[in-house]
Amino acid sequence: MKIAVVGLGYVGLPLARLFATKYNVTGFDINLQRIEQLKSGYDKTLEIEKELLEAVLVYNNAEEKGLFCTSEINDIADCNYYIVTVPTPVDKNNKPDLTPLYKSSETVGKVLKKGDIVIYESTVYPGATEEECVPVLEKVSGLKFNVDFFAGYSPERINPGDKEHTVDKILKVTAGSTRETGQKVNRLYQSVITAGTHLAPNIKVAEAAKVIENSQRDINIAFVNELSKIFNILEIDTQDVLAAAATKWNFLPFKPGLVGGHCIGVDPYYLAQKAQQSGYNPEIILAGRKLNDSMGEYVGSQVVKLMIKKEITVKNADLLMLGITFKENCPDVRNTKIVDVIAALADYGVNVTIFDPWAKPEEVAHEYGLITVNEMPSKQFDAIVLAVAHQEFAVLDFEAIKKENAVIYDVKGFLGDKADGKL
C-alpha cells in the first residue's frame, strides 16, 4: 500500500504525518517553498511540531514507511491511494471556487492506474466528488470510473491550533463509490484514527454531513450575534445572559463573534449554491451568513460610538488592533473577518495599527494588503480592540499602552471588567 496526499496544508500535513507512522506516504504539493520547509522539519502552520515531523520524514519514497515530501508528479506515480486535501474557497461573490479541486484532480488523473482509489477530503456540496471531480479523473486518465478506478470521500475535521483534538482523536466519516470501496476506505482510516470511523452509505451522504456541520455552527453563532445586538440596545451584558441561560442542561453554549476561517464562514455557501441549483432558496442558511458577515462593520461602528461618548476625536485617532488571525493561538489568517473591522474603522478615518504575535506579516500583506507587526508598538493609543484571544494578550499591561481616556473594546469577552464595551 502506497499513499499519496495531495496538498500539504492545514489538513494534508497532519493526515500525511499520521499515515506515515504506518505506511509509505508521499506528500505532494505544488508549493516548492513549502516542500523545502517540510524537508527541513519546519511546518509554518504550526500544526505539527518539529520532533513529530522529523520522526516520520524520509528522503526517498522507497522506504517501507515514512513521509516523503515532493513537488514532482512522477514521485506519486506508483501510489495506489490518492488523498486530495486541497482548499475549497469562495470567490469575491461568495460563489464556490472549485479550481483547486479541478487542478488536483488533473494532477492525479495523469498518474491514475487501474485499481487505484482517489479519496477527497475537501469540503464540497453533495454530489461534487462524483459530478465534478470524477469526470476530470476520467478525462485525463482515460480510465472508467467504478470499473478501472474508484473514489472515496472522508471529510476533514481539522481544527487549526487545537492540540487536543488532533486528527487521530477526531471520529472520521468515510464513504466509497461502491460498497467494497467504502469498506476499503473505512479500513484505511480505521488503521490510524484511534477515535474510530463512521462508514456512510454513499459519498453524497458523507459530503452532506460535512457541509451541514459548519452550516449548523454558522446559524447558531448568527443567532447569538443577533442577541448581542439586541442586548446591546437594551444595555444588558450578553455574556451574563448566556452564562445564566447555560445553566439549563440542553442550552447550546455558543458565543457571539466574528465568523471567519476556512470552514464556518465558507462552507454554508457551498450548500446554499447546490440548493439554489436544485430550485430551492435556503432562507435560514443565507440569513445566517448575511448576519455573520455584517459583524465586522457592526464592531467598527460600536468602537466609534464609544470613542464619541468619551469625546475622543475619531478622525486620525490611533487604534491598536490586537490580533488578525481568524482564531486564537494559531497563525491562520484565511478569511479572517477582522479585516472587515479594520475597513470599517478606516472609513471613519481611524489609524489602525495591527499587532499579532502569531500572524506572519508577509501573509497578511499578500492576502489583504495590510501591515502587521509581531512586537508591541512603543506608543499609547486612543482605542484598543481585542479582536483575537491569543494567550499573550491575557498578560498585557493595558494601562501602559492606552491613553488616559482611551476606549477598550473586547470582541471575544476575554478581558472582563477591563473593557468599555464588548460583543
Side-chain angles (χ1 to χ4, degrees):
M1 183 182 292
K2 297 193 74 173
I3 302 168
V5 176
V6 180
L8 296 175
Y10 280 89
V11 175
L13 180 62
L15 186 71
R17 186 215 66 85
L18 180 61
F19 274 126
T21 61
K22 287 195 174 184
Y23 302 107
N24 178 313
V25 179
T26 301
F28 177 87
D29 201 291
I30 59 173
N31 186 334
L32 184 58
Q33 183 182 30
R34 173 70 167 160
I35 294 299
E36 293 305 315
Q37 288 175 344
L38 292 177
K39 283 182 176 180
S40 71
Y42 172 63
D43 169 27
K44 71 173 185 176
T45 70
L46 306 182
E47 290 300 298
I48 305 297
E49 293 83 359
K50 189 176 180 68
E51 323 75 84
L52 284 177
L53 183 54
E54 289 180 337
V56 297
L57 283 176
V58 295
Y59 297 95
N60 67 74
N61 58 357
E63 300 289 340
E64 183 178 336
K65 67 178 182 179
L67 173 60
F68 174 69
C69 298
T70 183
S71 58
E72 298 293 331
I73 189 172
N74 290 338
D75 289 329
I76 62 172
D78 60 346
C79 294
N80 42 38
Y81 279 88
Y82 294 90
I83 304 178
V84 177
T85 59
V86 296
T88 42
V90 293
D91 63 19
K92 62 181 180 179
N93 298 313
N94 291 322
K95 297 295 183 183
D97 180 6
L98 297 179
T99 303
L101 274 180
Y102 291 142
K103 294 294 185 182
S104 56
S105 296
E106 288 175 5
T107 297
V108 173
K110 292 175 183 176
V111 293
L112 199 60
K113 309 169 296 302
K114 287 190 175 183
D116 288 351
I117 296 176
V118 186
I119 304 167
Y120 289 88
E121 289 220 356
S122 308
T123 303
V124 291
Y125 54 77
T129 298
E130 290 158 299
E131 296 166 12
E132 301 291 340
C133 301
V134 165
V136 175
L137 293 172
E138 285 189 312
K139 180 180 179 181
V140 176
S141 69
L143 301 176
K144 189 170 178 59
F145 178 50
N146 278 342
V147 175
D148 299 319
F149 73 93
F150 305 87
Y153 187 76
S154 183
E156 60 90 2
R157 280 177 167 169
I158 293 293
N159 188 25
D162 189 338
K163 301 306 180 184
E164 180 182 353
H165 302 97
T166 51
V167 61
D168 56 313
K169 297 185 180 77
I170 303 173
L171 196 143
K172 206 86 163 67
V173 174
T174 61
S177 56
T178 66
R179 181 184 176 88
E180 183 183 0
T181 304
Q183 291 171 344
K184 286 182 178 180
V185 171
N186 194 57
R187 284 196 297 269
L188 175 65
Y189 282 96
Q190 271 185 339
S191 68
V192 292
I193 304 293
T194 56
T197 60
H198 173 90
L199 178 57
N202 55 59
I203 288 176
K204 281 186 178 180
V205 168
E207 290 169 326
K210 170 56 182 178
V211 81
I212 70 165
E213 288 175 20
N214 291 327
S215 297
Q216 182 187 65
R217 286 184 56 79
D218 194 41
I219 291 166
N220 278 301
I221 296 170
F223 173 61
V224 292
N225 274 338
E226 187 161 68
L227 292 180
S228 177
K229 289 183 175 183
I230 294 169
F231 294 145
N232 182 57
I233 294 170
L234 300 177
E235 297 184 348
I236 302 172
D237 190 307
T238 304
Q239 301 294 338
D240 289 345
V241 174
L242 294 175
T247 59
K248 189 168 188 284
W249 72 91
N250 59 353
F251 183 80
L252 301 177
F254 286 91
K255 293 184 177 181
L258 302 171
V259 184
H262 66 299
C263 287
I264 302 176
V266 172
D267 298 349
Y269 287 120
Y270 276 76
L271 183 57
Q273 172 163 300
K274 187 63 176 179
Q276 289 168 331
Q277 289 175 346
S278 303
Y280 179 79
N281 185 46
E283 297 179 29
I284 293 177
I285 293 172
L286 290 178
R289 276 283 73 238
K290 182 179 179 181
L291 195 145
N292 283 340
D293 276 348
S294 74
M295 292 305 291
E297 186 175 350
Y298 173 76
V299 168
S301 68
Q302 292 300 299
V303 173
V304 169
K305 285 180 182 178
L306 286 170
M307 292 171 71
I308 292 171
K309 284 181 180 179
K310 284 199 169 189
E311 299 183 346
I312 298 171
T313 302
V314 174
K315 188 173 182 180
N316 290 324
D318 291 322
L319 181 144
L320 178 64
M321 184 67 64
L322 293 175
I324 194 169
T325 61
F326 93 89
K327 65 179 293 188
E328 64 276 4
N329 307 324
C330 169
D332 196 349
V333 297
R334 290 176 296 172
N335 193 37
T336 176
K337 292 304 176 183
I338 296 162
V339 297
D340 295 345
V341 182
I342 294 168
L345 291 167
D347 283 343
Y348 287 103
V350 177
N351 300 320
V352 180
T353 298
I354 307 165
F355 166 51
D356 194 316
W358 286 79
K360 292 179 173 54
E362 63 274 15
E363 288 188 10
V364 178
H366 178 263
E367 289 294 324
Y368 306 109
L370 296 171
I371 297 172
T372 312
V373 295
N374 294 134
E375 300 289 337
M376 174 62 74
S378 57
K379 62 182 291 186
Q380 292 184 317
F381 294 87
D382 298 295
I384 300 170
V385 176
L386 187 288
V388 188
H390 289 319
Q391 58 196 15
E392 289 86 349
F393 297 156
V395 295
L396 276 184
D397 182 359
F398 283 85
E399 291 302 318
I401 58 175
K402 75 181 187 72
K403 294 180 181 178
E404 186 177 351
N405 195 39
V407 163
I408 299 178
Y409 189 88
D410 186 1
V411 175
K412 302 294 289 185
F414 188 61
L415 301 177
D417 295 335
K418 293 179 184 177
D420 299 290
K422 57 186 174 182
L423 271 182

